[in-house]
Structure formats: C-alpha cells, structure tokens
Amino acid sequence: MVLNGFPLNIKPLEILSDEQVEAIHRGTLDILQETGVRFEHDKALKLFADSGCHVDFQKRLVKIPDYLVEECLRKAPSSFAVKARDPKNTVRIGGTTVYMMSNCGMNTLDLDTLEPKTPTLQDQDDFVKVLDALEHVHILGYGPHHNFQGVHPLMTLPMGCASRIRNSTKAMDAGGIKKCQVWNIKMAKATGQQLLGIVTVSPPLTYYSDAVEAAFDYVEVGFPVELWSGAVYGGSGPVTLAGATVMTNAELLAALVLAQLIRPGIGVIPYDFTFPIDMQRGHPFFGAVEICLHSMAFNQIWRHYRIPCGNAFFWSGKAVDYQCGYERAVSTFLAALSGANVICALGGGSMELTAHPVIAVLDDDVMGMVKRVLEGMDVSEETLAVNLIEEVGPIPGHYLNREHTRRWWKKELFIPKVADRTSYPEWVQGGKKTALENAKTRVKEILSTHTPTPLPKDQDEEINRILREAEEWYKKQGWW
Amino acid sequence: MSAETEILENLKKAIFEGNAGDARSLTLKAMEKKIDPLTVADVLTEAIRKVGEGFGRGELFIIDLSMAAEAMKNAVPIIEEEIKKAGKKQKTQGTVVIGTVAGDIHDIGKTMVSTLITAAGFEVIDLGVDIPAEKFLEAVRKYNPDILAMSSLMTITTPEQGKVLEALRREGLRDKVKVMVGGGAVTQEFAEGIGADGYAPTAPGAAELAKKLAGIE
C-alpha cells in the first residue's frame, strides 16, 4: 500500500469553535430524530425500521435515534482503500492524506469559440488518457463526460465507466443512476478493481429510489461509497451557511447510517457539493466564495466525526480565463488547507456543462501548487542553513555556487508545467504563448506519447459483453 | 380613498411584497365587501406583472418572485371560486400546463418559469416534478391548454420530453397544443430534433416564448 496522495503536513485550518461544532451536531441530531429523512425505497425503510428507527411507511419518512447515529459513526472506518486496476494506484482515503479527483462536464468545449460541443467517445477516451498521465490526479471522477454523440442517454454512464477502466489504471468512482451501477460493478470485478460508488441526496432531506438502489448495490458487494450532498442555499436548503451545514449533515448522516446498516464497516466519504442560489437566475452560483466557507466548516465537522470527507468545485465562468483560475485556486487551496481528504475539481469547467483535458492540464498545475503548500516548510539543521549563511556572508557572496542549493532546490521549489514563467523578451521570441496555449501543447504531447496500460484481451472482450448486456437490459425495461 | 380602493391597494401591496397571510385575508375581505371578483383578479394580475417587471429589471430577485407566487396561491383560488359562482369568466392570455418530466425532480427552474408565465398574464397549471408522459396527456385533455411546457435538467431524462411529444402525436393531440421545452440539458438543436415548437434558455426567455407561441405581441 502506497500513500500516493498529498501529505497534509500542516495543522488544518479550523473556522468553528468547539461549541459551534457541537451546536451543529446537536441541530443535526434533532433533524434526524424529530424531522426525519424521506427514503423512496421499501427495502431501506424496512431496514431502518428493523434497526430501531421510527419509520412512517406512508410518508416514507425515517426518524433516526441519536444512539444509532453515534453507533454508525463509530462503525464507519476513519480510512479505507479503493483498489485500483494497478495496485500502485490504489488509494487509502482518510487521515492526513489529500487526494485530487477529476470532475466532469456534460460536453466538451470548443476552446476557440467557447461553445459546448457534444463529445464523441474518442473525446472521452482521450480525456481519460490525459487524466491517466497527469501527475496530480489520483482518482478519476465520474465522467469526465456523460453525454456522447450517437450514444443513447441510458448507455452514457456504463460507457463512460468502460472508457475510464480501459484508458486508466487509477482508482475511480462511478455513478448510480438508472441502475448503471449493475454494469459498473460487473466491469470493475472483471478487471480486478473496486469503484467508489456514488450515492446522491435530493435536498431537502430526500433520497429517491435510484440513489438508494445505488447504495445497496455498491455496498452489498463491498465497494465503498461517496455520499454526495447538493443543497442550494436559499433554494433547496437554508440560505444561512450554518443552516445549510445542519441540513447537509443530517442528509449525509442518514445515508451513512443506511450504508452501515447494509454492511457494517463499509467505507464512506461524504462530499460537500453545495452552493448558494444565484438570486437573479435560480441556478447555483458555482464559483461563490461561500462554498469555500461552507466546505471549511464541513471538513472540520467530519474530522470531528473521524470520517474522511471530500469537497467538489466547478467554476461559473464560460471562458478559460482569469475568473476560472481564481475560482479554482481559491476553492482548492481552502479545501486542502482545511483538511478535505478528496478534492474533486480537475478538468470540469463551467457549471458541469463543459469539461476539457486542457482545463485538466491547467488544473494539474494548481494542484501541484496545493501539494507544495500542504507539504509545509521543512525545518531542520540542514534546511535552516545557519552554517551556510555564515559561510556565504554578505555581497559578493551568493548561493548559486553551493552544493546545498543543488541538493535542495528540487525538493523546495515546485515547477509548474504550463504556467508562463518566461522573461518578457523570451516570451515575445517564443510567440507570446499563454498558459492556455502551453496547456494545449501539453495535451497534444500527452496524447502522442502516453499509452495507458491496456486491458488484457479477455477483459476487454468481457467489457464489450457487459455493455451489450446492459443495452439489452435497458431495452427490456422499456426505458430506452 | 374609499374602503374598496384601500382593500385593493393593500392587496396589490401584499402580492407585490409576497405577504401570503395578508393576501388571503384581504382577498376574503374584498369578497365580504362584494367587490367584483373580476376586478380583484385584475388587481392580482397587475401586482404579479409588476413583480415580473421588477425581476426583469434586476430590482427584484427570485425570492421576491417566489414569495409573490406564494401570496398569489393564497388569493387566486378564492377569487376563481367567486368568479365561477358568478358565472363569469376571467380574461387571460391563455392557459399553460407545465411540469418537470419523469425521472427528474428538479423544481426551482420550472417554478421560476411557471411564475414568470403567470406574471405574463397566463393561467398556469403546474403539475409539479417527475411527471410521466401519460400525466401530461391527461392534463392536455383536461385543461385544453394553449401551451404545454416541459423541463428537464439531466441529460438522462431529456428523452422523456421526446416521449411526451410522441405520445401527443400518437393520440392525435399534437395540433391542439404548442409545446415548449427547457432545462439545463436541453438545447435548441434538441428541441428541434424532438419536434417542439420552441425552446428558451432562461426563465424570462420562456415567458417571452410563451407570449410568442400564444400569438401575443
């Protein structure tokens, strides 16, 4: 087992006092016990009832007593592994390790016209190849696209998963809509890996059948699950950040309880994926700074629970520009500094609408910056360099002729791959290239040089067979 | 100011400010005072139109829109009842049946559209979310609307909109109603592909489209 994420060597930022954390926890327990959470799923209702919850089968409302919440919090592990196709890419989520995960966009983006375009399956495969090559991507998130030219919407999720499995050996998550998990699980098993299953709440306080089915299917085969929140402050949740935290906490704890009742000890990771409403337009404001504040509180609370947690970010701009850069950098830094174990941000652009490998390459640099900061400052006799400073002394002394510099510079200094670091004359001579243009070049380089470890032939054929089975099954359901 | 005018002015204010309790009690008071329900209905329409205009100018926000809509819900049924009793008929720009398609539970965008279409003077029958094709058809038969409006946010549920259109064609209802579609995953191209009459990318755009489809302006 290799801990291949970023080490968090600094004390996580905390924005709440112990009393505030306790107040949020008490509020959460009140909601779970008094208000309850709606589960549109008979098997789940029965399981809750059999485990000591007060269940109103008519309203499909589950009230969970305090003791059961606390008991399930103890049963859920403080860290768990997600087995990747290549064992060296297996991740162990939890503790003080921070993993970076790619996010998604329905469409690809024409970088010249900034118009969203329906991706081809080749676009998807290429994107996954780039993610496979990037140094700072540890987990492949669902997607990166979930809409393909010539592919029926019902097949987009299994086909997206097949593409990830074929074109990457990294750990990955996978969706849970319309039973796609059945095929995702089969493909993962056929290729000797696990998946992080996605279970999504429908705020306020509701789990629809699809999400609960996904929880049962993934957890029953022993795959850990991601519990995704989704409240829009002022829309589907309270507008106050503390209120949104209480409601989100209650929703996620209800799913955590369900997962632990299905299979005690199963790994769970709740994600903060909440946003303020744009009061002029009604959609979520994806780039809002309040998301960061909410995530920082979220991370502190789940650390208090000793459960790993994740944060997710998109940006709201349409262009790959200054705004997308600051939205990405501010959010990922604050998430990492406040102790998120997984940060889902790489590659996805405008409001889940678009994603592009060039964005992922730009993000990879941001994640490298995050990594460097999380590593913290190495303070030892050698790094303090008191003797060296004494030796070099004032001008004309300098450090460019010292072994100490050669030994330490690569450890101390992060070199971004696509940021423009040239001098002005050099920049002019090189054709005035921006980071965006450098990123485009890097994507081309990766695609021409990187070949992901292919699946053995029999496994590849098995994937094809599973996809055919999925298609037939969907047609039989009459959902096609 | 006469007592009647005062009631109506206050009612207008209650709708504009989104005060549901006042909207209800003032409507009841107006009925007590035997004010013509058609006059009250006009006042309500004017108030919600003003809210829509304020929203359009960026002075009011979705929360104002939605509170005003709630206030309307507290007043309109009382008035409708009275209009019916009096054997009269309210003049509207037309009737719109709206809902989010089966498998999709996204409500906010659809409700915004519903409110802005109301503000544009239409009578709106909001079926809610997760509405299967047969429910849309049932509503088309029952209400005989000028427009059927459908929303879906997720890629995976967009085909439902096509299914509703297919069902309308199959049942010979397609010519009786204009169909407009929208939602996060819907594009102009998709709307044309499934044979809808119109698509709008935003809620104010949807209200404009409804007017256009109803042949107003």
Side-chain angles (χ1 to χ4, degrees), chain B residues 62-120:
Chain B
I62 290 161
I63 183 68
D64 307 308
L65 206 61
S66 132
M67 297 291 279
E70 278 300 313
M72 283 289 274
K73 275 188 206 158
N74 277 267
V76 169
I78 302 169
I79 295 299
E80 277 178 348
E81 181 74 31
E82 289 297 323
I83 293 174
K84 217 165 149 191
K85 262 198 251 166
K88 295 178 177 175
K89 207 164 160 46
Q90 196 190 345
K91 238 178 75 193
T92 69
Q93 303 280 30
T95 306
V96 180
V97 164
I98 189 170
T100 303
V101 298
D104 202 325
I105 46 96
H106 291 92
D107 191 30
I108 293 177
K110 185 264 303 156
T111 304
M112 272 176 72
V113 170
S114 159
T115 308
L116 287 172
I117 292 180
T118 308

Coordinates of all heavy atoms in Angstrom, one line a residue, chain B residues 62-120:
Chain B
I62 N -35.2 36.3 -7.2 CA -36.1 35.1 -7.3 C -36.9 34.9 -6.0 O -38.0 34.5 -6.0 CB -35.2 33.8 -7.6 CG1 -34.7 33.9 -9.0 CG2 -36.0 32.6 -7.4 CD1 -33.5 33.1 -9.2
I63 N -36.3 35.2 -4.9 CA -37.0 35.0 -3.6 C -38.2 35.9 -3.6 O -39.3 35.5 -3.1 CB -36.1 35.3 -2.4 CG1 -36.8 35.1 -1.1 CG2 -35.5 36.7 -2.4 CD1 -37.1 33.7 -0.8
D64 N -38.1 37.1 -4.2 CA -39.3 38.0 -4.3 C -40.4 37.5 -5.2 O -41.6 37.5 -4.9 CB -38.9 39.4 -4.8 CG -37.7 40.0 -4.0 OD1 -37.9 40.0 -2.7 OD2 -36.7 40.4 -4.5
L65 N -39.9 36.9 -6.3 CA -40.8 36.3 -7.3 C -41.5 35.1 -6.6 O -42.8 35.0 -6.8 CB -39.9 35.7 -8.4 CG -40.4 35.5 -9.8 CD1 -40.8 36.9 -10.4 CD2 -39.2 34.9 -10.7
S66 N -40.8 34.3 -5.9 CA -41.4 33.1 -5.4 C -42.3 33.4 -4.2 O -43.4 32.8 -4.0 CB -40.3 32.1 -5.1 OG -40.4 31.6 -3.9
M67 N -42.0 34.4 -3.4 CA -42.9 34.8 -2.3 C -44.2 35.4 -2.9 O -45.2 35.2 -2.3 CB -42.2 35.9 -1.4 CG -41.0 35.3 -0.7 SD -41.3 34.1 0.6 CE -41.8 35.1 2.0
A68 N -44.0 36.2 -3.9 CA -45.2 36.8 -4.6 C -46.1 35.7 -5.1 O -47.3 35.7 -5.0 CB -44.8 37.7 -5.7
A69 N -45.5 34.6 -5.7 CA -46.2 33.5 -6.2 C -47.0 32.8 -5.1 O -48.1 32.4 -5.3 CB -45.3 32.5 -7.0
E70 N -46.3 32.7 -4.0 CA -47.0 32.0 -2.8 C -48.2 32.9 -2.4 O -49.3 32.3 -2.1 CB -46.0 31.9 -1.6 CG -45.1 30.8 -1.7 CD -45.8 29.4 -1.7 OE1 -46.7 29.2 -0.9 OE2 -45.4 28.6 -2.5
A71 N -48.0 34.2 -2.4 CA -49.1 35.1 -2.0 C -50.3 34.9 -3.0 O -51.4 34.9 -2.6 CB -48.6 36.5 -2.0
M72 N -49.9 34.8 -4.3 CA -51.0 34.6 -5.3 C -51.7 33.3 -5.0 O -53.0 33.2 -5.1 CB -50.3 34.5 -6.7 CG -49.9 35.8 -7.3 SD -51.3 36.8 -7.8 CE -51.6 36.2 -9.4
K73 N -51.0 32.2 -4.6 CA -51.7 30.9 -4.4 C -52.7 31.1 -3.2 O -53.6 30.3 -3.1 CB -50.6 29.9 -4.0 CG -50.0 29.2 -5.2 CD -49.1 28.1 -4.7 CE -48.0 27.8 -5.8 NZ -46.9 27.1 -5.2
N74 N -52.5 32.0 -2.4 CA -53.4 32.2 -1.2 C -54.6 33.1 -1.6 O -55.5 33.1 -0.9 CB -52.6 32.9 -0.1 CG -51.9 31.9 0.8 OD1 -52.4 31.4 1.7 ND2 -50.7 31.5 0.3
A75 N -54.5 33.7 -2.7 CA -55.6 34.6 -3.1 C -56.4 34.1 -4.3 O -57.6 34.1 -4.3 CB -55.0 36.0 -3.5
V76 N -55.7 33.5 -5.3 CA -56.3 33.1 -6.6 C -57.5 32.1 -6.4 O -58.5 32.3 -7.0 CB -55.2 32.7 -7.6 CG1 -55.9 32.0 -8.8 CG2 -54.4 33.8 -8.0
P77 N -57.3 31.0 -5.7 CA -58.4 30.1 -5.6 C -59.7 30.7 -5.1 O -60.7 30.3 -5.5 CB -57.8 29.0 -4.6 CG -56.3 29.2 -4.6 CD -56.1 30.6 -4.9
I78 N -59.6 31.6 -4.1 CA -60.8 32.2 -3.5 C -61.5 33.0 -4.6 O -62.7 32.9 -4.8 CB -60.4 33.2 -2.4 CG1 -59.6 32.5 -1.3 CG2 -61.6 33.9 -1.8 CD1 -58.9 33.4 -0.3
I79 N -60.7 33.8 -5.4 CA -61.3 34.6 -6.5 C -61.9 33.7 -7.6 O -63.0 33.9 -8.1 CB -60.2 35.5 -7.1 CG1 -59.7 36.5 -6.1 CG2 -60.6 36.2 -8.3 CD1 -60.7 37.4 -5.6
E80 N -61.1 32.6 -7.9 CA -61.6 31.7 -9.0 C -63.0 31.1 -8.6 O -63.9 31.1 -9.5 CB -60.6 30.6 -9.2 CG -59.5 31.0 -10.2 CD -58.4 30.0 -10.4 OE1 -58.4 29.0 -9.6 OE2 -57.6 30.2 -11.3
E81 N -63.1 30.7 -7.4 CA -64.3 30.2 -6.9 C -65.5 31.2 -7.0 O -66.5 30.8 -7.5 CB -64.1 29.9 -5.4 CG -65.3 29.3 -4.6 CD -65.5 27.8 -5.0 OE1 -64.5 27.1 -5.3 OE2 -66.6 27.4 -5.0
E82 N -65.2 32.5 -6.7 CA -66.2 33.5 -6.8 C -66.6 33.8 -8.2 O -67.8 34.0 -8.5 CB -65.7 34.8 -6.1 CG -65.6 34.7 -4.6 CD -67.0 34.5 -3.9 OE1 -68.0 35.1 -4.4 OE2 -67.0 33.8 -2.9
I83 N -65.6 33.8 -9.1 CA -65.8 34.1 -10.5 C -66.7 33.0 -11.1 O -67.7 33.3 -11.8 CB -64.5 34.2 -11.3 CG1 -63.7 35.4 -10.9 CG2 -64.8 34.2 -12.8 CD1 -62.3 35.5 -11.5
K84 N -66.4 31.8 -10.7 CA -67.2 30.6 -11.1 C -68.6 30.7 -10.6 O -69.6 30.5 -11.4 CB -66.6 29.3 -10.6 CG -66.6 28.2 -11.5 CD -65.6 27.1 -11.0 CE -66.0 25.7 -11.3 NZ -65.1 24.8 -10.5
K85 N -68.8 31.1 -9.3 CA -70.1 31.2 -8.7 C -70.9 32.2 -9.5 O -72.1 32.1 -9.7 CB -70.0 31.6 -7.3 CG -70.1 30.4 -6.3 CD -70.4 30.9 -4.9 CE -69.2 30.7 -4.0 NZ -69.3 31.4 -2.7
A86 N -70.3 33.3 -9.8 CA -71.0 34.4 -10.5 C -71.2 34.1 -12.0 O -71.8 34.9 -12.7 CB -70.1 35.7 -10.4
G87 N -70.7 32.9 -12.4 CA -70.9 32.5 -13.8 C -70.1 33.4 -14.8 O -70.5 33.5 -16.0
K88 N -69.1 34.0 -14.3 CA -68.3 34.9 -15.2 C -67.0 34.2 -15.6 O -66.8 33.0 -15.2 CB -67.9 36.2 -14.4 CG -69.1 37.0 -14.0 CD -68.6 38.2 -13.3 CE -69.8 39.1 -13.0 NZ -69.5 40.3 -12.1
K89 N -66.3 34.8 -16.5 CA -65.0 34.2 -17.0 C -63.9 35.2 -17.0 O -64.1 36.4 -17.4 CB -65.2 33.6 -18.4 CG -64.3 32.5 -18.6 CD -64.7 31.6 -19.8 CE -63.5 30.8 -20.3 NZ -62.7 30.1 -19.3
Q90 N -62.8 34.8 -16.4 CA -61.6 35.8 -16.3 C -60.9 35.8 -17.7 O -60.8 34.7 -18.3 CB -60.7 35.3 -15.2 CG -59.7 36.4 -14.8 CD -58.6 35.8 -13.9 OE1 -58.8 34.7 -13.4 NE2 -57.6 36.5 -13.7
K91 N -60.5 37.0 -18.0 CA -59.7 37.1 -19.3 C -58.2 36.8 -19.0 O -57.6 37.4 -18.1 CB -59.9 38.5 -19.9 CG -60.5 38.4 -21.3 CD -60.7 39.8 -21.9 CE -59.4 40.4 -22.3 NZ -59.5 41.8 -22.6
T92 N -57.7 35.8 -19.7 CA -56.2 35.6 -19.5 C -55.6 35.5 -20.9 O -56.3 35.6 -21.9 CB -55.9 34.2 -18.9 OG1 -56.3 33.2 -19.8 CG2 -56.7 34.0 -17.6
Q93 N -54.3 35.5 -20.9 CA -53.6 35.4 -22.2 C -53.6 34.0 -22.8 O -53.2 33.8 -23.9 CB -52.1 35.8 -22.0 CG -51.9 37.2 -21.4 CD -52.0 38.3 -22.4 OE1 -52.8 38.2 -23.4 NE2 -51.4 39.4 -22.2
G94 N -54.1 33.1 -21.9 CA -54.1 31.7 -22.4 C -53.8 30.8 -21.2 O -53.5 31.2 -20.1
T95 N -53.8 29.5 -21.5 CA -53.5 28.5 -20.4 C -52.3 27.7 -20.7 O -52.0 27.4 -21.9 CB -54.7 27.5 -20.3 OG1 -55.9 28.3 -20.1 CG2 -54.6 26.6 -19.1
V96 N -51.5 27.6 -19.7 CA -50.2 26.8 -19.9 C -50.2 25.7 -18.9 O -50.4 25.9 -17.7 CB -49.0 27.7 -19.6 CG1 -47.7 26.9 -19.8 CG2 -49.0 28.9 -20.6
V97 N -49.9 24.5 -19.3 CA -49.7 23.3 -18.5 C -48.2 23.1 -18.4 O -47.5 23.1 -19.4 CB -50.4 22.1 -19.0 CG1 -49.8 20.8 -18.3 CG2 -51.9 22.1 -18.7
I98 N -47.6 23.0 -17.2 CA -46.2 22.9 -17.1 C -45.8 21.8 -16.1 O -46.5 21.6 -15.1 CB -45.6 24.3 -16.6 CG1 -44.0 24.3 -16.7 CG2 -46.0 24.7 -15.2 CD1 -43.4 25.7 -16.5
G99 N -44.6 21.2 -16.3 CA -44.1 20.2 -15.4 C -42.7 19.8 -15.7 O -42.2 20.0 -16.8
T100 N -42.0 19.2 -14.7 CA -40.7 18.5 -15.0 C -41.0 17.1 -15.3 O -41.8 16.4 -14.6 CB -39.8 18.7 -13.7 OG1 -39.7 20.1 -13.4 CG2 -38.4 18.1 -14.0
V101 N -40.2 16.6 -16.3 CA -40.5 15.2 -16.8 C -40.2 14.1 -15.9 O -39.5 14.3 -14.9 CB -39.8 15.0 -18.2 CG1 -40.2 16.0 -19.2 CG2 -38.3 15.0 -18.0
A102 N -40.7 12.9 -16.2 CA -40.5 11.7 -15.4 C -39.0 11.4 -15.1 O -38.2 11.6 -16.0 CB -41.1 10.5 -16.1
G103 N -38.7 11.0 -13.9 CA -37.3 10.7 -13.6 C -36.5 11.9 -13.1 O -35.4 11.8 -12.7
D104 N -37.1 13.1 -13.3 CA -36.4 14.3 -12.9 C -37.1 15.1 -11.8 O -38.3 15.3 -12.0 CB -36.2 15.2 -14.2 CG -35.1 16.2 -14.1 OD1 -34.8 16.7 -13.0 OD2 -34.4 16.4 -15.1
I105 N -36.4 15.4 -10.8 CA -37.2 16.0 -9.6 C -36.7 17.5 -9.4 O -37.0 18.1 -8.4 CB -37.0 15.2 -8.3 CG1 -35.5 14.8 -8.1 CG2 -37.8 13.9 -8.4 CD1 -34.7 15.7 -7.3
H106 N -36.1 18.1 -10.5 CA -35.6 19.4 -10.3 C -36.8 20.4 -10.5 O -37.5 20.4 -11.4 CB -34.5 19.7 -11.3 CG -33.3 19.0 -11.0 ND1 -33.0 17.7 -11.5 CD2 -32.2 19.3 -10.2 CE1 -31.8 17.3 -11.0 NE2 -31.4 18.2 -10.2
D107 N -37.0 21.2 -9.4 CA -38.2 22.0 -9.3 C -38.0 23.5 -9.5 O -38.9 24.2 -10.0 CB -38.7 21.8 -7.9 CG -40.1 22.3 -7.6 OD1 -40.9 22.3 -8.6 OD2 -40.4 22.7 -6.5
I108 N -36.8 24.1 -9.1 CA -36.7 25.5 -9.0 C -36.8 26.2 -10.3 O -37.6 27.2 -10.4 CB -35.3 25.9 -8.3 CG1 -35.3 25.4 -6.8 CG2 -35.0 27.4 -8.4 CD1 -34.0 25.7 -6.1
G109 N -36.1 25.7 -11.3 CA -36.2 26.3 -12.6 C -37.6 26.3 -13.2 O -38.1 27.3 -13.7
K110 N -38.2 25.2 -13.1 CA -39.6 25.0 -13.6 C -40.5 26.0 -12.9 O -41.4 26.6 -13.5 CB -40.0 23.6 -13.4 CG -41.4 23.2 -13.9 CD -42.5 23.3 -12.9 CE -42.2 22.4 -11.7 NZ -42.9 22.9 -10.5
T111 N -40.4 26.2 -11.5 CA -41.2 27.0 -10.8 C -41.0 28.5 -11.2 O -42.0 29.3 -11.2 CB -41.0 26.8 -9.3 OG1 -41.2 25.5 -9.0 CG2 -42.0 27.7 -8.4
M112 N -39.8 28.9 -11.4 CA -39.5 30.2 -11.9 C -40.2 30.5 -13.2 O -40.8 31.6 -13.3 CB -38.0 30.4 -12.2 CG -37.1 30.8 -11.0 SD -35.4 30.8 -11.5 CE -35.4 32.3 -12.5
V113 N -40.1 29.6 -14.1 CA -40.8 29.7 -15.4 C -42.3 29.9 -15.2 O -42.9 30.8 -15.7 CB -40.5 28.5 -16.3 CG1 -41.4 28.6 -17.6 CG2 -39.0 28.5 -16.7
S114 N -42.8 29.0 -14.3 CA -44.2 29.0 -14.0 C -44.7 30.4 -13.5 O -45.7 30.9 -13.9 CB -44.5 27.9 -13.1 OG -45.7 28.0 -12.4
T115 N -43.9 30.9 -12.6 CA -44.2 32.2 -12.0 C -44.2 33.4 -13.0 O -45.0 34.2 -13.1 CB -43.3 32.6 -10.8 OG1 -43.3 31.5 -9.9 CG2 -43.7 33.8 -10.1
L116 N -43.1 33.3 -13.8 CA -43.0 34.4 -14.8 C -44.0 34.3 -15.9 O -44.5 35.3 -16.5 CB -41.6 34.4 -15.4 CG -40.5 34.9 -14.5 CD1 -39.1 34.7 -15.1 CD2 -40.7 36.4 -14.2
I117 N -44.5 33.1 -16.2 CA -45.5 33.0 -17.2 C -46.9 33.5 -16.6 O -47.7 34.1 -17.3 CB -45.7 31.5 -17.7 CG1 -44.4 31.1 -18.5 CG2 -46.9 31.3 -18.6 CD1 -44.4 29.7 -19.1
T118 N -47.1 33.2 -15.3 CA -48.2 33.7 -14.6 C -48.2 35.3 -14.7 O -49.2 35.9 -14.9 CB -48.2 33.3 -13.1 OG1 -48.1 31.9 -13.1 CG2 -49.5 33.7 -12.4
A119 N -47.0 35.8 -14.4 CA -46.8 37.3 -14.4 C -47.1 37.8 -15.8 O -47.5 39.0 -15.9 CB -45.4 37.6 -13.9
A120 N -46.9 37.0 -16.8 CA -47.1 37.5 -18.2 C -48.6 37.4 -18.5 O -49.0 37.7 -19.6 CB -46.3 36.7 -19.2

